[in-house]
Amino acid sequence: MDPNTQQELLIIGKDVVENVVVPEIMAYVRAHQAANGDLPTDAQVIAALGTDTDAGIRVGEAFLKAKGAI
Amino acid sequence: MKFIIAAALVALAVAVPACGKKNILTAPPSVVTQQGKVAYTADQVVVRINELENTAIAANNDGSLKDDVAISIVKFCVSADKTAKTTPDGLKPALKTGWAELQKNLVGKTVPPTLTLAIGALDGIITTFTAGVTQ
């Protein structure tokens, strides 16, 4: 491949990736991962924080109550 | 040919971020709101705090950790959980103070190896989490 064609292809490739492919692909990949449970959504992490803090409080207070510490 | 180059660059763009060092306190890209990011980070800390709590209770149950030490650890954990639940944004300063106090209380106390490990693991997380917070 002659250098001019190679240079042209690189410029086109970079332009396509930066402006079209990457945003579209990344948005799709993220949506797919979130939808399949691979990555958590905002609602899931907010719910998880509630569940986990409740569990820690419940277990801890039961222990402290049993020891007469509260 | 153009398609192949574009496809290769896309594959790189997707793969390279995944190769970076993973920080467990950094929310994944699927979490997009500020509230979600704060909740994600707080939850990562809470999970480790609960592990410390469970380890302390188990050690107390098997007789390897005295009541007074177990109680001070569990009180710290419950307090941190309550702060994380009500005001996740306030967790950093609360932990900075609470963790320093707990560590002072633990000086000279006998703790089993399982608890030492849990304390060490949580210390690393809290140090990273509270970096930059002034008391």
Side-chain angles (χ1 to χ4, degrees):
Chain A
M1 187 185 304
D2 75 88
N4 284 341
T5 308
Q6 202 171 16
Q7 185 66 25
E8 187 191 349
L9 281 176
L10 279 175
I11 291 167
I12 293 170
K14 186 171 178 284
D15 188 55
V16 168
V17 168
E18 285 180 352
N19 295 304
V20 183
V21 182
V22 167
E24 292 293 324
I25 293 284
M26 290 312 290
Y28 173 80
V29 167
R30 286 168 187 165
H32 177 79
Q33 287 174 323
N36 287 283
D38 298 332
L39 290 174
T41 62
D42 286 76
Q44 284 171 329
V45 296
I46 291 166
L49 178 61
T51 305
D52 291 336
T53 50
D54 282 345
I57 293 166
R58 188 178 59 250
V59 170
E61 286 188 341
F63 174 81
L64 293 173
K65 214 171 269 182
K67 295 291 177 184
I70 53 170
Chain B
M1 185 60 166
K2 288 176 186 175
F3 174 77
I4 292 171
I5 291 173
L9 290 172
V10 168
L12 270 178
V14 173
V16 167
C19 296
K21 188 180 175 186
K22 191 183 175 195
N23 180 348
I24 60 162
L25 295 176
T26 302
S30 55
V31 176
V32 292
T33 66
Q34 187 57 27
Q35 187 191 8
K37 288 175 183 174
V38 169
Y40 180 86
T41 304
D43 189 47
Q44 293 300 307
V45 177
V46 162
V47 166
R48 274 79 187 179
I49 286 172
N50 289 351
E51 283 170 4
L52 173 66
E53 182 180 77
N54 291 331
T55 305
I57 291 172
N60 180 257
N61 286 340
D62 70 22
S64 60
L65 185 68
K66 287 185 175 175
D67 277 359
D68 62 332
V69 184
I71 287 168
S72 67
I73 291 172
V74 172
K75 277 185 175 176
F76 160 79
C77 295
V78 169
S79 173
D81 278 341
K82 284 181 175 175
T83 302
K85 181 180 171 67
T86 55
T87 50
D89 280 325
L91 187 58
K92 281 186 187 185
L95 272 186
K96 184 98 177 175
T97 307
W99 186 240
E101 276 177 24
L102 178 63
Q103 285 184 313
K104 255 186 250 172
N105 290 340
L106 294 179
V107 171
K109 308 283 186 183
T110 304
V111 296
T114 50
L115 197 61
T116 304
L117 283 174
I119 289 170
L122 186 56
D123 188 51
I125 298 282
I126 290 179
T127 301
T128 304
F129 181 60
T130 61
V133 175
T134 51
Q135 283 182 313

